[in-house]
Amino acid sequence: MPPAKTEEANQEIALPPEEGIQGWICLGGSFFSLFCTYGFLSAIGVFQTNYKESRLKQYDPSEISWIFTLELSLMWALGPVYGHVLDTYGSAPVLYPCSFLCVLSLCMTSLAHEYYQIFLAQGLAFGLGAGGVFTTAMVCTGQWFIRRRGLAVGIATSGASLGGVIFPILLDQLISKVGFDGAVRYTALFIGVLLVLACLMVRARLPPNKSDKNSKWFDLTLLKKKQPLLLTLGCFFSMWSMWGPFDYLSSMAKNSGFSSSLSVYLISMITAASIPGRVLPPYLADRIGHLNVLTACSFLTAASIFCLWLPFNYHPSHAGIIVFALVYGFVSGSIVSLFMPCVAKVGKVESLGRAFGTFQLMISISCLTGLPTMGGILNQQGGADFSGLEVFAGVSAFVGSLFLAASTYLLSKARGTWKV
């Protein structure tokens, strides 16, 4: 056997077995990580409504949404940096400081009252911290689980769904009892405890590869070949519209005369429905193909917007908006869960951090522009007509499903099987 192959084989033997006790412990830590980051970001509707009614009432919805847009974008944008450090030095140099930054940023948010202060504390600082925690959780889970990667990432991202159920309700209840600033401080304490547990549990399967520190920070394989490029474009358009209901559904329900409590709980309904959506479709995807299921879910997301959300703009009803929240939560929930397994098909486990990081950079652009675009459309329609925003979201998700279908076709043709 040639020396290079022998060395590669020895490295494989030295790795801990796939899954195993440490793998499941890591998965538990990843669950906590996504609960505290992606799950907390699901509460943006609560913040949007609160800021609009109190300290930022002089700003229009589009301007306020830039705070959350920056958060969402930064959670993805620094993926290449975080991914390279993960591949080279392991999880600790990313996870520990970013966890601390998440807690610190929320403490600073509780002290902020001006737009620029909130923008820097909640938008910039929490986005930077959440991005590192999120990337570490996704990459480390992807390293430990290969055969059942879809299911494992689905379980980890269900932590984000559970967080999306709990945080809006928690914040709503705390705000009524201790005020907004106190609610944010209690939330910071809660997140801090869980992130300490995550730091103790999340470990990379691969040993640090410091000899790789001079390698490229970007894996341009995603953009140089047609199939990965179509995959990236499909995910871009699918994510472009995804956060619309999270940010605007609560305000839309209030404008239609719904109670404040029901308006807030609609966000929790979306995220509650996304818990089985994070787990069941990825579990199925491990058997019939990750790209097949991702394409179907993107198409169904578009269908739910056109068939259930758009009609509500003309015929408001409690039952209708609740049905939309539940259906949208389930079908859109699996999309983020399936990103990692689909991206993993274009690279090796040793460079999974860089591959996923480059993909994250592309997704960050959609997160950066999606909410402000929808907010701008809403402003153009007087701030009360949500139909243009809904059409934009539906068309975006549908276009994403077309790109994903093309990517699926090319990969199935190259591999000679429909299970891709």
Side-chain angles (χ1 to χ4, degrees), residues 377-396:
I377 294 171
L378 181 61
N379 289 338
Q380 289 295 316
Q381 294 187 296
D385 183 357
F386 289 78
S387 60
L389 181 158
E390 293 160 340
V391 170
F392 172 84
V395 170
S396 176

Side-chain angles (χ1 to χ4, degrees), residues 136-206:
T136 303
M138 295 290 277
V139 171
C140 289
T141 300
Q143 289 180 352
W144 282 102
F145 292 83
I146 298 176
R147 288 184 301 106
R148 296 192 290 179
R149 183 176 278 153
L151 176 62
V153 175
I155 293 173
T157 56
S158 69
S161 299
L162 183 61
V165 175
I166 291 176
F167 281 115
I169 298 174
L170 176 67
L171 285 164
D172 183 57
Q173 293 296 317
L174 287 174
I175 289 171
S176 65
K177 294 178 180 178
V178 297
F180 179 81
D181 295 339
V184 175
R185 291 186 193 115
Y186 277 116
T187 302
L189 176 61
F190 180 42
I191 286 177
V193 172
L194 293 181
L195 286 180
V196 167
L197 293 176
C199 289
L200 296 174
M201 297 169 72
V202 174
R203 291 288 182 273
R205 181 182 178 213
L206 300 177

Side-chain angles (χ1 to χ4, degrees), residues 252 256-258 311-321:
M252 182 181 182
S256 299
F258 288 26
F312 177 83
N313 195 64
Y314 305 101
H315 303 286
S317 74
H318 285 68
I321 200 66

Side-chain angles (χ1 to χ4, degrees), residues 12-62:
E12 282 295 323
I13 294 172
L15 290 178
E18 180 186 348
E19 300 185 13
I21 294 176
Q22 184 56 57
W24 286 100
I25 291 174
C26 176
L27 179 56
S30 297
F31 181 94
F32 289 142
S33 298
L34 270 71
F35 177 94
C36 295
T37 53
Y38 213 102
F40 177 76
L41 290 177
S42 298
I44 57 177
V46 178
F47 285 96
Q48 175 87 19
T49 302
N50 185 276
Y51 287 153
K52 181 59 183 171
E53 294 177 350
S54 58
R55 60 193 69 190
L56 299 181
K57 57 185 176 183
Q58 68 271 34
Y59 295 90
D60 63 49
S62 182

Side-chain angles (χ1 to χ4, degrees), residues 54-224:
S54 58
R55 60 193 69 190
L56 299 181
K57 57 185 176 183
Q58 68 271 34
Y59 295 90
D60 63 49
S62 182
E63 290 174 311
I64 296 173
S65 71
W66 271 106
I67 297 169
F68 315 117
T69 296
L70 183 64
E71 271 186 296
L72 296 171
S73 178
L74 286 175
M75 199 174 75
W76 299 90
L78 293 183
V81 177
Y82 294 138
H84 181 85
V85 175
L86 285 167
D87 287 340
T88 309
Y89 299 104
S91 60
V94 177
L95 183 59
Y96 295 176
C98 287
S99 296
F100 175 76
L101 183 58
C102 284
V103 178
L104 177 64
S105 67
L106 290 181
C107 293
M108 293 299 101
T109 300
S110 71
L111 302 174
H113 291 85
E114 299 295 330
Y115 180 87
Y116 79 92
Q117 295 171 338
I118 299 171
F119 188 87
L120 292 175
Q122 187 173 357
L124 179 62
F126 189 86
L128 288 172
V133 175
F134 170 77
T135 303
T136 303
M138 295 290 277
V139 171
C140 289
T141 300
Q143 289 180 352
W144 282 102
F145 292 83
I146 298 176
R147 288 184 301 106
R148 296 192 290 179
R149 183 176 278 153
L151 176 62
V153 175
I155 293 173
T157 56
S158 69
S161 299
L162 183 61
V165 175
I166 291 176
F167 281 115
I169 298 174
L170 176 67
L171 285 164
D172 183 57
Q173 293 296 317
L174 287 174
I175 289 171
S176 65
K177 294 178 180 178
V178 297
F180 179 81
D181 295 339
V184 175
R185 291 186 193 115
Y186 277 116
T187 302
L189 176 61
F190 180 42
I191 286 177
V193 172
L194 293 181
L195 286 180
V196 167
L197 293 176
C199 289
L200 296 174
M201 297 169 72
V202 174
R203 291 288 182 273
R205 181 182 178 213
L206 300 177
N209 185 15
K210 296 183 180 179
S211 61
D212 197 37
K213 61 185 177 182
N214 294 322
S215 62
K216 295 180 179 179
W217 288 65
F218 296 90
D219 185 358
L220 295 179
T221 304
L222 283 171
L223 304 177
K224 289 182 177 179

Side-chain angles (χ1 to χ4, degrees), residues 255-269:
N255 287 351
S256 299
F258 288 26
S259 68
S260 298
S261 296
L262 178 59
S263 300
V264 170
Y265 292 162
L266 285 172
I267 309 303
S268 294
M269 290 178 192

